[in-house]
Amino acid sequence: MRSRRVGGVKFETLAVHAALRPDAVTGAVAPPIHLSTTFARDEAGVPLGGHVYIRESNPTQDLLEEALRLLEGGETAFFFASGMAAGMAILASLPRGGKVLFPDDVYHGFRAAAAEVLPGWGLRAGFIPMDRLERLADALEGGASCVWLETPSNPLLKITDLRAAVELAHRAGALAVVDNTFATPVLQRPLDLGADAVLHAATKYFGGHSDLLGGAAIFARDGELSKKVLQMRTLGGGAGSPFNAWLVLRGLRTLPCRVERQTETAGRVAAFLASHPRVVEVLYPGLPGHPGHDIARKQMRGFGAMLSFRTAGGRDFALRTVGRARLFIRATSLGGVESLMEHRASSEGPDSTTPQDLIRLSIGLEHPEDLIEDLDQALA
Ligand SMILES: *Cc1c(COP(=O)(O)O)cnc(C)c1O
């Protein structure tokens, strides 16, 4: 994988060194976890270390936010208790009466929020096939305050041309927010392509070990939007715990290494599935036949470690295949070291629009040959 140079060093180096400073008091190389909820002031009443109360800010979170800002190339970054908390704080910061245009296969949590929560906040929602920019352009003619982008998308792995979509949004006076959970800044940096904000479920690749819940919002500018989102986090109480901030920071150190290996393995798994007689379609932007392949090549450094495939024999055969997996664990979520497999329509529930014959894979760090062997026996 080609390496990207950011802030004077290669991205891999930045991931290790961002906000890495031996502790001034103890010399500890690994950062301490500050669990204190409250922070002392001097005789004049000035906070000794710049912090007052944990929900507003705390030292462990500060370190993580510095690293997040550098890795995504933004001016400011905020850690949240979850990806949903980060996304909902952004949505809650948009002006009332506006319209948000979501991808038609947006992460199902935001689809549910659009139906059940946003109307109460005075926000309307539209759902657009974002891989077809003419449809976005049409929708923008009706006015919108925000264009929400997710590429590769979940679970159909559709690709949106980020630079072009952001440009359309801006020309219409809308903000462009990108959920970059699937790609991570290792593969794609939306702020470099003009986006106003990037959202992450840190629960996924950032944490990387399926053992924490966290979210992040990173902003191109420290401005009106970011200030509102910070206020929303403080007043809505969406801050993450210091322990989880520390785990995410620890995860970021190995993020490039993990994502690159996982991506490489996903490419091999995709090629295997594409040649399998019981697979009718592989949804992976790394395959030359994928409709978003050329755009993905242009805006991503690699095609990611998520892929979906559709089996011959419909829902029953898909469920049977998932049931026969031995190494892949049957579970939702993604981005961990262990490979996961799920019948996505079942995970999403009765209002799912996902094809019933679709299986989604999150590729972990196992040896590719073992994963392929497992798929081969499960599909037999
Ligand atoms: C998981 C996920 C979220 C939500 O993150 P949580 O940490 O579970 O709240 C949002 N977007 C995408 C693409 C996700 O995969």
Side-chain angles (χ1 to χ4, degrees):
M1 214 176 270
R2 279 175 296 118
S3 200
R4 191 197 303 272
R5 214 176 151 77
V6 275
V9 290
K10 298 282 194 187
F11 187 86
E12 293 79 352
T13 307
L14 184 65
V16 172
H17 283 270
L20 180 67
R21 289 183 282 277
D23 184 58
V25 177
T26 61
V29 172
I33 310 174
H34 289 286
L35 296 172
S36 187
T37 57
T38 186
F39 297 87
R41 297 168 185 263
D42 67 13
E43 294 85 343
V46 179
L48 285 167
H51 301 286
V52 174
Y53 182 62
I54 187 172
R55 178 157 40 74
E56 292 162 11
S57 70
N58 64 78
T60 311
Q61 180 175 273
D62 271 7
L63 286 180
L64 169 61
E65 290 178 343
E66 183 182 337
L68 289 169
R69 173 172 65 73
L70 292 167
L71 292 181
E72 281 289 7
E75 279 185 9
T76 188
F78 308 127
F79 179 57
F80 281 86
S82 68
M84 284 306 295
M88 293 304 275
I90 293 174
L91 291 167
S93 302
L94 298 174
R96 271 168 183 271
K99 185 166 188 178
V100 185
L101 299 177
F102 290 101
D104 58 359
D105 61 344
V106 65
Y107 178 73
H108 65 104
F110 295 114
R111 170 179 293 280
E116 289 161 36
V117 180
L118 301 198
W121 293 354
L123 291 174
R124 286 166 299 137
F127 296 92
I128 314 293
M130 295 289 186
D131 53 336
R132 297 175 55 195
L133 289 176
E134 72 281 5
R135 296 286 297 277
L136 174 61
D138 281 352
L140 282 167
E141 289 196 359
S145 58
C146 178
V147 174
W148 193 274
L149 300 162
E150 199 183 322
T151 177
S153 73
N154 176 24
L156 300 180
L157 283 296
K158 294 199 290 190
I159 298 293
T160 302
D161 185 330
L162 279 179
R163 197 183 280 282
V166 167
E167 220 175 281
L168 284 175
H170 286 171
R171 229 182 288 152
L175 292 165
V177 175
V178 180
D179 185 336
N180 205 29
T181 299
F182 269 37
T184 82
V186 177
L187 304 179
Q188 169 175 287
R189 296 218 313 172
L191 300 182
D192 290 347
L193 303 172
D196 300 287
V198 163
L199 164 77
H200 278 281
T203 314
K204 315 292 171 55
Y205 289 101
F206 281 9
H209 295 73
S210 308
D211 56 7
L212 70 91
L213 181 69
I218 302 106
F219 297 86
R221 283 165 300 282
D222 183 0
E224 196 186 340
L225 176 67
S226 71
K227 285 180 172 40
K228 274 193 190 148
V229 171
L230 178 60
Q231 183 185 53
M232 201 54 73
R233 183 183 72 178
T234 302
L235 300 179
S241 77
F243 184 64
N244 282 357
W246 183 88
L247 278 175
V248 174
L249 183 59
R250 184 188 214 262
L252 290 180
R253 304 308 185 201
T254 55
L255 181 71
C257 221
R258 286 184 283 110
V259 169
E260 283 186 25
R261 173 62 71 88
Q262 285 164 294
T263 293
E264 208 177 288
T265 303
R268 290 180 61 176
V269 169
F272 163 76
L273 288 170
S275 69
H276 197 285
R278 302 186 97 161
V279 172
V280 292
E281 190 183 8
V282 181
L283 308 173
Y284 185 64
L287 294 172
H290 186 284
H293 179 70
D294 291 338
I295 295 162
R297 269 193 100 83
K298 199 176 63 176
Q299 69 189 14
M300 302 177 78
R301 283 182 55 240
F303 301 104
M306 293 301 297
L307 64 108
S308 296
F309 63 101
R310 301 180 65 177
T311 54
R315 175 185 166 89
D316 289 346
F317 186 72
L319 282 169
R320 196 201 77 155
T321 303
V322 171
R324 286 167 63 118
R326 294 187 195 131
L327 201 53
F328 278 88
I329 295 171
R330 284 177 292 280
T332 192
S333 198
L334 59 130
V337 296
E338 62 291 301
S339 291
L340 304 178
M341 175 187 272
E342 68 175 327
H343 181 250
R344 187 66 192 165
S346 302
S347 305
E348 292 178 352
D351 62 345
S352 168
T353 55
T354 298
Q356 292 291 332
D357 58 4
L358 182 141
I359 295 172
R360 192 185 83 171
L361 304 180
S362 167
I363 300 298
L365 286 173
E366 301 91 342
H367 195 284
E369 285 167 21
D370 290 325
L371 294 176
I372 288 169
E373 205 175 293
D374 191 33
L375 288 167
D376 199 26
Q377 67 78 26
L379 282 163

